[in-house]
Amino acid sequence: MVIDPIAAIFGGLLALFMASLASHFGLRLADRMPGESLWPECLYCQRPARRQELVPVFGWLLRTDALTLPCPCAQQRKQWAVPAAESIGLLAGMVAGALGGLSAPTLILCLAVGLLPAIAMIDLLFGIIPDWFNLLLAALGMAWLLAGGGQLTIGLMMSGILLLLGLLMVYGYSWVRRKEMLGLGDVKFFAAAGLWLQITTLFWFLIIAGVFGVINGLLWKRLTGTEQSPFAPALCLSLLGCL
């Protein structure tokens, strides 16, 4: 297999751009009160973000004592969320670009792999997946299918199967266990993820998500002492591996 370095760089930049914007605006979507502005702001002093602070990598790299990962107002340190999502998005996008080349399906795919670490990060911090992100993942999935990345009929079928499976876990399995096994945000993610899967990758998606979900749950319980753990990190990692 011949790896195209130009495609790898371009794919990485696309994913980095998506990861950065999704992280900044996703944090705001998760933290805002009804009626408040959608524009990103500091989580601690509520100062609206300056445009240069939203620039991928440099938005936090040019801050004073950048290695301590300060927030925009420098009142808090170790703000790892955005840098981590950007770094993972950049790496995943470079791999996707290198393997797929400069084609329309691959470029759409790079945007999706940049979105996934932001979704995982927000669920880790706030315990939710913003509806807008599930909608964006689904829209990118449809665009990918229409661009020739997969078979449209099978993609729609996989989306329907995962949607039904998610609803079964929410309203069936959760009732049997007498506790919430899956959130509705995860169900919507299931439906969006299905558009990216084919018959063979569907089973791998479920197996990998299940394994990492159990591992994440055990670690979460040990670190926080709570039973319910965010499932999106396992879902995003599984989908990323399948893609």
Side-chain angles (χ1 to χ4, degrees):
M1 177 181 293
V2 178
I3 294 178
D4 185 352
I6 302 299
I9 293 173
F10 193 66
L13 291 176
L14 269 182
L16 171 63
F17 174 79
M18 174 60 80
S20 183
L21 284 185
S23 297
H24 284 106
F25 282 91
L27 288 172
R28 181 59 182 147
L29 285 171
D31 187 59
R32 70 186 283 268
M33 299 296 290
E36 291 184 343
S37 170
L38 290 172
W39 186 257
E41 63 180 30
C42 178
L43 294 175
Y44 298 96
C45 73
Q46 284 73 56
R47 173 179 68 77
R50 301 185 178 98
R51 287 183 175 83
Q52 64 269 24
E53 292 172 345
L54 303 183
V55 177
V57 179
F58 294 101
W60 55 270
L61 194 59
L62 296 179
R63 296 174 188 172
T64 304
D65 297 326
L67 294 180
T68 64
L69 303 180
C71 66
C73 65
Q75 293 185 25
Q76 299 289 329
R77 305 288 172 174
K78 298 181 181 180
Q79 301 304 296
W80 55 268
V82 175
E86 289 181 351
S87 300
I88 296 171
L90 174 63
L91 178 60
M94 291 184 69
V95 173
L99 296 177
L102 287 176
S103 64
T106 300
L107 297 181
I108 297 171
L109 178 66
C110 289
L111 291 174
V113 301
L115 178 62
L116 292 176
I119 292 176
M121 175 266 295
I122 292 167
D123 194 38
L124 273 175
L125 294 178
F126 293 94
I128 63 171
I129 303 176
D131 287 340
W132 284 107
F133 282 9
N134 282 325
L135 184 61
L136 179 56
L137 182 63
L140 289 171
M142 281 298 299
W144 178 74
L145 288 171
L146 293 173
Q151 297 183 40
L152 179 60
T153 304
I154 294 180
L156 293 173
M157 186 186 305
M158 297 302 103
S159 177
I161 290 173
L162 283 180
L163 176 60
L164 291 175
L165 178 61
L167 291 173
L168 179 62
M169 293 183 68
V170 168
Y171 296 109
Y173 190 50
S174 296
W175 180 80
V176 173
R177 293 290 301 274
R178 294 292 189 264
K179 64 178 181 179
E180 184 179 281
M181 300 302 297
L182 201 67
L184 287 177
D186 298 320
V187 174
K188 297 169 187 175
F189 183 94
F190 265 40
L195 295 170
W196 295 91
L197 300 172
Q198 301 295 293
I199 296 175
T200 53
T201 51
L202 173 65
F203 296 103
W204 283 111
F205 171 74
L206 294 173
I207 291 171
I208 297 172
V211 170
F212 280 104
V214 170
I215 295 173
N216 182 63
L218 293 174
L219 291 175
W220 189 265
K221 184 177 181 179
R222 178 183 270 295
L223 293 175
T224 67
T226 57
E227 291 284 345
Q228 292 186 340
S229 61
F231 194 26
L235 294 175
C236 290
L237 181 62
S238 179
L239 181 58
L240 184 63
C242 290
L243 294 179

